[in-house]
Amino acid sequence: MTKIVWQQGELIEVTIANLSDTGDGVGRADERVVFVPDTVPGDRAIVRLIHVKPKYAHGKLQQLLEPSPHRIRPSCIVADKCGGCQWQHINYNYQLVAKQNQVIQALERIGGFVQPPVDSVLAAPSALNYRNKSTYPLLRAATGQIQAGYYQKGSHQLINLNQCPVQDSRLNPLLAEVKQDIQQRGWQIYDEQRHLGQIRHLGLRIGRHTGEMLLTLVVKDWNLSRIETQAQEWLKRYPQLVGVSLNRNSDRTNAIFGSETRCIAGVPHLREKFAGMEFQVRPDTFFQVYTETAEALLQVIQSELNLQGHELLVDAYCGIGTLTLPLAKKVRQATGLEVQPAAVEQAILNAQCNGIDNVTFQVGAVEKLLTKMGTIPEVVILDPPRKGCDRTVIDTLRQLKPSRIVYVSCKVATLARDLKLLCQDGQYTITRVQPADFFPQTAHVEAAAFLVLSHLDKDTKSFKKN
């Protein structure tokens, strides 16, 4: 039978059956897969083919013939344009189902696990108004108006926003009004094509439990006329604003923040309550954007580990100690490993502020620090960046043989890859995987995998110190 040849620009009818890990709807037609943004499983639609490959194609929703029962009206008027969210048109309960399936499929297809023990997704307390941090690129429009927002899906065209339904609503007045202040000051907006201008991004941050806010301008250099005066005006206008900072990024890069931040007015950090403890969070500190869901996942970790107070614990990729410090209160000794010196400085300060003295922090690459461990920890927490663990980390852990490992991941593909290596030859067994929704309205999902050392390896622990 001759396969039908697809042509770019052609219209075809597709029924959407699934969602990809990037958030696109996935359908099949003529024995080929079609990826279609802005669709929901159950949608029957006319789709225009945009990019055609031999075995699959990417399409654009042209006409909705029959809507899915999981389809809803988005909360945001620019949801169909803005690239900040992918799933505002999908019922939240179905988002949770899709995210659980995403974790299961990654573990099965990439990890090779059969019927992995994946729990239902830990739901967010609210599917909107949750982000404690937002960073917006800035643009001067042809009209001269200063705009801030997110880029349109699949483009570099900025969608101007005066409020965002997924960020903490207390930040909305700053988003709308600071743009006007920048315009009145006559400050130049950075032009990435010509590498000219001053202000690149507007950063907003809030302590969900304290209400304290930070405002940060990412600039090409420090020479921003009368910024001190404007910073004081912002502090007076917004009672919850505790600090105004500049972050310098002079490179031609897509990275948002540069390496140096200066506090212009107020204090260089906000206070946040997390898991009953107080943390200091700076403008460029990594801190989970959904505070309450992060706390809920920590509770699951604490419950699952059931720490008895005698354990040695290592928290790899520890950041400012968000997981290290609450867990340190339940073990004999905790050690945090982190490559960023500034994060370790904050972690030490946070330990002191909370009166925790059974924890130490080490600066350096995790793959190097782990090989220098003088003792074998009973519990290791892994919370790496999206790229996952360096292979040396996996190999060292398989030599160290800690009794339990908790792997917290923000990208299930690398989680599945690393778990496959850790569980090779049956050395470790996955007892539970708990997904958590840190990013409602998007396809992103966090997951904590719990591993135990097999009985055979418990009797043959060995580690050769380099």
Side-chain angles (χ1 to χ4, degrees), residues 133-191:
K133 178 187 177 184
S134 296
T135 309
Y136 299 98
L138 297 172
L139 172 75
R140 184 180 294 276
T143 60
Q145 179 192 26
I146 302 298
Q147 298 183 340
Y150 293 115
Y151 291 115
Q152 187 170 356
K153 297 173 184 178
S155 79
H156 208 59
Q157 180 179 339
L158 193 74
I159 302 300
N160 187 44
L161 301 174
N162 287 320
Q163 62 178 4
C164 177
V166 296
Q167 80 172 0
D168 189 305
S169 59
R170 291 171 288 184
L171 294 174
N172 284 329
L174 279 72
L175 173 60
E177 296 164 11
V178 168
K179 291 185 297 182
Q180 299 176 15
D181 297 325
I182 292 173
Q183 185 156 346
Q184 291 175 1
R185 288 285 175 188
W187 291 332
Q188 295 301 305
I189 303 303
Y190 178 72
D191 183 329

Side-chain angles (χ1 to χ4, degrees), residues 16 19-20 22-26 34-40 43 47-48 50 57-62 71 80 86-87 89 153:
I16 304 300
L19 289 165
S20 73
T22 60
D24 293 345
V26 182
V34 187
F35 297 95
V36 189
D38 305 317
T39 57
V40 189
D43 280 346
V47 172
R48 185 177 298 279
I50 304 299
H58 291 274
K60 181 178 181 180
L61 178 62
Q62 198 73 17
R71 178 178 282 277
D80 60 332
Q86 298 96 43
W87 283 0
H89 59 288
K153 297 173 184 178

Side-chain angles (χ1 to χ4, degrees), residues 125 211 273 276 304 321 413 435 443 458 463:
K273 299 287 186 180
E304 191 72 15
K458 285 180 181 178
F463 178 67

Side-chain angles (χ1 to χ4, degrees), residues 15 32 55 80 84 88 103 112 134 177 190 241 248 251 274 317 358 376 393 402-403 425:
T15 297
R32 282 167 286 186
K55 294 184 178 180
D80 60 332
Q88 280 204 33
V103 178
S134 296
E177 296 164 11
Y190 178 72
L241 184 65
R248 184 178 66 172
D251 297 333
F274 182 84
Y317 314 94
N358 67 330
I376 300 175
V393 172
S403 299
D425 302 323

